[in-house]
Amino acid sequence: MKRLAVYCGSATPADPVYIETAREVGRTLAARGIGVVYGGGRLGLMGAVADAALEAGGEVIGVIPEALVGAEVAHRGCTELRVVANMHERKALFTQLSDGFVTIPGGVGTMDELWEAVSWAQLGYHEKPVGLLNAAGFYDHLIAFNRHMIEVGFIRPAHAGIIVHGDTIEGLLDAMAAYQPHETIFRMKAKDL
């Protein structure tokens, strides 16, 4: 994996564990020689990931919609800052530039990015690993809900392993490196759906 898209919040929660998690992700990716592709912001967890990766000598590519550049939240210190017209172009570029996706704690935008990466993998628009860092148990309920969707039958057995999750960034990256692509919906026959 040469580059990973990192999905995370632009907020700064009161509990310092989240900012420290973001910094650890940035440092670890840089130490492993993995470039960061992220939302291009300078605030919250986004800024912490970018700053830590840059301080550790890593590559950081920010992808930000024009509207957010105008709101003065763009991180001007990135290795490269790409300005796009809208969120659709942003997410398409995340997928194009990265070899996988790592989701760390965040809110609604982070969930949108995670589920789109999962949906696109399920369909067959990409075959890249989708990682979920369950820092401080933040995603315990999401992991349980994903398991519930599998058990009920809304996620096919062939797609049950799309989300790769771990409690540490080191362990998650190792699991993502070992990821084996699944059978996509585009390759399935009607009888398998």
Side-chain angles (χ1 to χ4, degrees):
M1 297 181 292
K2 294 170 76 173
R3 288 185 186 136
L4 290 174
V6 178
Y7 297 146
C8 60
S10 60
T12 304
D15 188 335
V17 71
Y18 299 113
I19 288 292
E20 185 47 44
T21 295
R23 289 184 182 125
E24 182 182 4
V25 168
R27 286 190 300 266
T28 302
L29 291 175
R32 287 192 176 208
I34 300 171
V36 172
V37 179
Y38 85 116
R42 61 178 173 77
L43 304 176
L45 273 66
M46 270 199 218
V49 167
D51 288 342
L54 290 165
E55 288 166 11
E59 174 192 48
V60 176
I61 300 173
V63 182
I64 190 165
E66 290 175 85
L68 292 177
V69 172
E72 299 182 4
V73 298
H75 192 308
R76 302 290 182 176
C78 294
T79 308
E80 184 179 345
L81 184 64
R82 296 197 186 189
V83 180
V84 294
N86 54 52
M87 295 297 282
H88 297 293
E89 286 184 25
R90 180 192 221 183
K91 290 188 283 185
L93 198 50
F94 285 153
T95 302
Q96 179 186 334
L97 294 173
S98 69
D99 299 311
F101 311 88
V102 172
T103 300
I104 68 174
V108 173
T110 305
M111 291 300 92
D112 173 55
E113 292 164 339
L114 168 66
W115 289 115
E116 184 165 283
V118 171
S119 176
W120 285 14
Q122 183 174 279
L123 290 167
Y125 286 111
H126 72 76
E127 294 184 357
K128 302 171 183 183
V130 180
L132 183 68
L133 181 59
N134 190 26
F138 184 79
Y139 286 121
D140 284 349
H141 296 292
L142 184 77
I143 292 165
F145 179 64
N146 190 64
R147 189 169 41 252
H148 177 66
M149 289 189 289
I150 294 164
E151 290 166 357
V152 169
F154 284 111
I155 296 177
R156 292 168 184 85
H159 304 138
I162 289 176
I163 294 179
V164 178
H165 57 86
D167 297 335
T168 67
I169 187 60
E170 292 283 359
L172 179 60
L173 292 175
D174 290 344
M176 290 174 68
Y179 175 76
Q180 294 295 314
H182 56 279
E183 184 178 13
T184 67
I185 288 175
F186 293 158
R187 290 192 199 124
M188 291 179 162
K189 304 289 185 213
K191 66 177 179 58
D192 299 320
L193 298 173

